[in-house]
Amino acid sequence: MAPKPAEETRQFEHPAAGHAKKKRKGPYPIEPITAFYIFLAANVVAALFAPIQDCDETFNYWEPAHYLSHGYGLQTWEYSPEYAIRSWLYVVLHAVVGNLRRLLPQSTKMAEFYFVRYGLALVCALCQTVMFKVVSSTLNGRIGIFFLIATVTSPGNFHASTAFLPSSFAMYMCMLGAASFMNWRGGLKTSQGIFWFAMAGILGWPFAAALCAPYILEEVVFTLFSDRETFIESIIRLFRGVIAGLLILFFDFIINLFFYKKVAVVTWNIVKYNIFSSTGGPELYGTEPWTFYFKNLALNFNIWFILALLALPLFIVQKVVAPSGHGFQTGLRTIVFVAPFYMWLAIFTAQPHKEERFMYPVYPFLALNASMSLHILLSAIGSSDPSTVMGKIPARLKLLAVSIVLFLSLDVSLARIYGIYSGYNAPLSIYKPLWNGSQGQNAVGGEGDLVCLGKEWYRFPSSYFLPRDMHAKFVRSEFRGLLPGEFSEAKTGFGFWSGTWLPTSGLNDRNEEDVGKYVGLRMCSFLVDTQFPERVNPLPPNEPDYIADAEMWDIVKCEPFLDAANTHILARTLWVPDLEIVPDKFKRKWGRHCLLQRKRT
């Protein structure tokens, strides 16, 4: 049962008294509104500059949203009614936000794209602020500040905060769920916590709901050692939470029934495909060694990841060396708070198929663990007891050492963020000549032109970047997996969005190539290609250097693009300035990502 907050006895203070005019300090190290602005600023930077990291974001989410808003788009097999493993409700929510932008002046599809990103930045900042408030009030204000710093300075947040991905949405909801479970002020909020985690699992990613397990276990443990009345209250809270989750599931079911025109529990379909698939499941798309997430999280969080791993060991050492006397309950709560990160990392490290976005839901828990570790370390380092080693070190020297470490961490994070932006932002820039002004004055290309994608198909940022009913098409490359098809554009007699339920052809869940997805090169008005001058190996037959073919193609726009294969791992990982003092071995090597237009004959 939640401890009841002690009632404060306040003495009368005359309003004219000097001490009465002083503002009482709350549990927050900075005002929550200030924290919100900081979170929002970091997220808006991501919305403006973050490249699309994963082609799933384009083809599984931006393209269906584009179809709902503009009547055409690319369709992956996951949206085929035969498989139905993507929730239309999640897509609809984002499409609605994009359509709100159409009500404002100077509206374009690119403006819709960024408007959705701004919306995601806002929602993410609100969720981060809620968790910041709860961490500060429940644990410690200093831990809250560290949580803020670890979040806004990390490349991980730069990727995840505004990504149109269920794992990012799950991250938002998990923050609200964790905040509900952690905050015992005013009573236990188990029902709210289950509701938010259910949102994460049903509208986001089903596996994210597992992150509530430590909190539910905490509730069960305390209930078992409580009286009958408390036991009944706990059962009621759990029951209400389950009912709330079922209501979300029902609403999602109704929306998917409308779009798929068939009974489909998408959440179960996702779980079934990923765990019980008989056709190969996610392993068809590649496997990675167990070290993958450790390397990835080290890149995206550097020292904060190391601190997150140390949270539980440091807490145990602290309990052994310097017992606080707070008892079993406080110790168990701390273990519950740090457990989700370890649980998630262990489960997904054991899976053969690994992707960076699978870690998004646990990013807030990583930041929380790291913040708790840093708080424990600083408490030990800050000791002034002259009988200890730390107590003999001058306070200013300790402050300097800690500041240097955190400053270096910030530098590495910024170098990583700018390195990603400068190296891979070209796909978001090369389509601008197709627009060339808010109303398309002097724009390149005509109504309904085909923009073709070859070996760089997975870098396509979505049809939101193609104006005037231009369509994206695929030309043959060396890729032999399954490419997206197109949503049916049939209208007469089929009702709204018939492409969501009409039978599809050429889509399968085995990643088998369908040659019907390709068009002939002669049909392309535009072509997107990348050229890497540093590469000396002969080009594959289906991937010639189109940029060098000046007889067939004119260059419309090119942007620098990092040649990862010929760039040293240090320069691939971080931004390295192109200065003379930097050895050539460590300099970044560049290609160019280009939009080409067929020459007029």
Side-chain angles (χ1 to χ4, degrees):
M1 185 174 179
K4 295 182 179 179
E7 295 185 3
E8 295 182 5
T9 304
R10 295 185 58 185
Q11 296 181 347
F12 172 76
E13 294 173 337
H14 193 280
H19 63 274
K21 296 179 182 179
K22 294 180 181 178
K23 190 174 182 180
R24 288 185 178 83
K25 295 184 69 175
Y28 311 118
I30 59 174
E31 288 297 322
I33 188 63
T34 304
F36 168 73
Y37 289 142
I38 295 171
F39 284 125
L40 182 62
N43 296 344
V44 168
V45 169
L48 285 169
F49 301 113
I52 293 179
Q53 292 277 102
D54 193 322
C55 64
D56 260 14
E57 181 178 352
T58 292
F59 297 116
N60 270 323
Y61 304 103
W62 284 113
E63 284 298 309
H66 184 274
Y67 170 71
L68 294 182
S69 299
H70 299 280
Y72 69 96
L74 298 171
Q75 179 185 26
T76 62
W77 69 268
E78 290 95 331
Y79 284 92
S80 168
E82 181 180 352
Y83 305 106
I85 68 168
R86 291 289 181 262
S87 170
W88 277 107
L89 177 56
Y90 174 69
V91 176
V92 165
L93 294 174
H94 293 73
V96 167
V97 174
N99 279 303
L100 291 176
R101 179 61 181 86
R102 300 169 77 175
L103 303 176
L104 302 175
Q106 307 296 318
S107 178
T108 65
K109 290 199 296 181
M110 280 182 66
E112 291 175 42
F113 175 90
Y114 284 103
F115 194 73
V116 170
R117 277 193 162 190
Y118 298 147
L120 293 172
L122 175 63
V123 172
C124 185
L126 289 170
C127 297
Q128 289 167 332
T129 304
V130 169
M131 191 157 182
F132 163 80
K133 289 177 62 178
V134 171
V135 168
S136 298
S137 59
T138 303
L139 295 173
N140 185 285
R142 188 163 70 174
I143 295 176
I145 281 290
F146 293 153
F147 173 81
L148 184 149
I149 295 171
T151 299
V152 301
T153 62
S154 70
N157 186 71
F158 182 70
H159 303 326
S161 59
T162 58
F164 185 178
L165 287 168
S167 48
S168 285
F169 180 82
M171 180 183 76
Y172 307 160
M173 297 300 103
C174 285
M175 281 189 276
L176 298 180
S180 298
F181 277 112
M182 292 171 68
N183 182 16
W184 280 7
R185 296 192 174 194
L188 297 181
K189 301 173 179 62
T190 306
S191 301
Q192 294 179 26
I194 294 175
F195 170 81
W196 292 119
F197 277 108
M199 287 278 283
I202 296 168
L203 295 191
W205 196 30
F207 304 103
L211 284 166
C212 75
Y215 301 104
I216 298 295
L217 183 61
E218 177 191 34
E219 172 99 4
V220 171
V221 169
F222 285 142
T223 299
L224 292 177
F225 292 95
S226 301
D227 55 30
R228 184 172 179 274
E229 181 182 352
T230 303
F231 178 81
I232 294 174
E233 290 176 355
S234 178
I235 295 298
I236 292 174
R237 286 193 297 269
L238 291 170
F239 179 75
R240 287 175 176 171
V242 171
I243 293 299
L246 290 175
L247 289 174
I248 299 169
L249 184 64
F250 177 74
F251 187 55
D252 183 61
F253 171 81
I254 294 299
I255 297 299
N256 288 315
L257 180 64
F258 171 79
F259 282 103
Y260 286 122
K261 298 292 190 289
K262 61 176 283 189
V263 173
V265 181
V266 170
T267 304
W268 164 245
N269 289 347
I270 295 173
V271 173
K272 182 173 67 174
Y273 171 74
N274 281 276
I275 299 178
F276 306 110
S277 175
S278 59
T279 58
E283 285 79 13
L284 290 171
Y285 302 93
T287 59
E288 299 290 344
W290 69 270
T291 56
F292 177 84
Y293 288 128
F294 288 84
K295 294 177 181 177
N296 184 266
L297 292 173
L299 284 175
N300 286 330
F301 287 90
N302 55 74
I303 193 173
W304 299 105
F305 173 56
I306 298 171
L307 289 170
L309 290 174
L310 293 174
L312 185 58
L314 286 175
F315 172 70
I316 293 173
V317 169
Q318 183 191 50
K319 278 292 183 183
V320 172
V321 175
S324 62
H326 290 306
F328 169 76
Q329 188 181 65
T330 301
L332 179 62
R333 291 221 79 197
T334 303
I335 293 173
V336 167
F337 293 167
V338 302
F341 169 70
Y342 293 112
M343 181 187 74
W344 191 264
L345 182 61
I347 291 172
F348 280 88
T349 295
Q351 306 306 309
H353 179 64
K354 299 177 178 68
E355 296 186 39
E356 179 178 326
R357 60 192 166 99
F358 293 172
M359 285 291 112
Y360 288 1
V362 86
Y363 280 0
F365 299 94
L366 184 156
L368 175 61
N369 280 29
S371 303
M372 294 172 69
S373 287
L374 186 56
H375 175 68
I376 293 171
L377 287 172
L378 291 183
S379 298
I381 293 171
S383 172
S384 57
D385 185 354
S387 64
T388 64
V389 175
M390 286 298 171
K392 296 176 181 178
I393 301 174
R396 289 186 178 181
L397 183 59
K398 290 187 284 188
L399 176 62
L400 177 63
V402 171
S403 300
I404 289 174
V405 172
L406 294 180
F407 184 73
L408 287 175
S409 172
L410 174 62
D411 285 348
V412 170
S413 294
L414 293 178
R416 172 71 176 166
I417 290 171
Y418 185 70
I420 292 168
Y421 164 73
S422 60
Y424 301 106
N425 198 55
L428 296 180
S429 303
I430 63 169
Y431 299 94
K432 291 178 181 177
L434 300 178
W435 299 85
N436 222 25
S438 60
Q439 303 301 321
Q441 308 97 328
N442 304 316
V444 177
E447 189 81 17
D449 280 351
L450 301 186
V451 179
C452 293
L453 312 168
K455 66 176 183 288
E456 300 297 321
W457 63 270
Y458 56 93
R459 302 195 191 279
F460 178 56
S462 82
S463 297
Y464 279 97
F465 287 76
L466 304 181
R468 299 184 301 283
D469 205 31
M470 292 182 178
H471 282 52
K473 298 287 184 179
F474 300 103
V475 294
R476 194 69 183 266
S477 67
E478 296 300 317
F479 178 71
R480 291 296 176 266
L482 180 67
L483 290 168
E486 295 183 59
F487 286 104
S488 171
E489 297 176 31
K491 295 178 182 177
T492 305
F494 291 98
F496 295 107
W497 302 302
S498 60
T500 64
W501 60 268
L502 284 174
T504 58
S505 62
L507 296 177
N508 62 78
D509 63 348
R510 301 176 299 279
N511 197 26
E512 294 177 353
E513 182 183 29
D514 173 39
V515 295
K517 300 290 192 299
Y518 304 112
V519 299
L521 196 61
R522 65 183 181 279
M523 297 179 64
C524 304
S525 302
F526 295 90
L527 179 68
V528 176
D529 195 28
T530 306
Q531 184 184 65
F532 296 106
E534 298 275 342
R535 300 186 184 181
V536 295
N537 293 331
L539 295 174
N542 290 305
E543 296 179 359
D545 188 349
Y546 294 111
I547 297 173
D549 187 1
E551 294 184 2
M552 183 69 70
W553 302 99
D554 285 325
I555 295 176
V556 178
K557 184 177 178 64
C558 287
E559 290 288 338
F561 196 84
L562 187 67
D563 184 354
N566 287 296
T567 299
H568 190 274
I569 186 172
L570 176 64
R572 284 203 313 269
T573 304
L574 305 173
W575 173 72
V576 174
D578 190 16
L579 301 175
E580 291 184 4
I581 59 172
V582 177
D584 186 69
K585 174 184 177 181
F586 297 106
K587 288 185 177 180
R588 308 179 100 192
K589 305 300 187 294
W590 295 94
R592 53 178 182 164
H593 191 66
C594 299
L595 176 66
L596 310 175
Q597 184 177 25
R598 179 180 292 278
K599 281 184 177 291
R600 295 179 180 178
T601 56

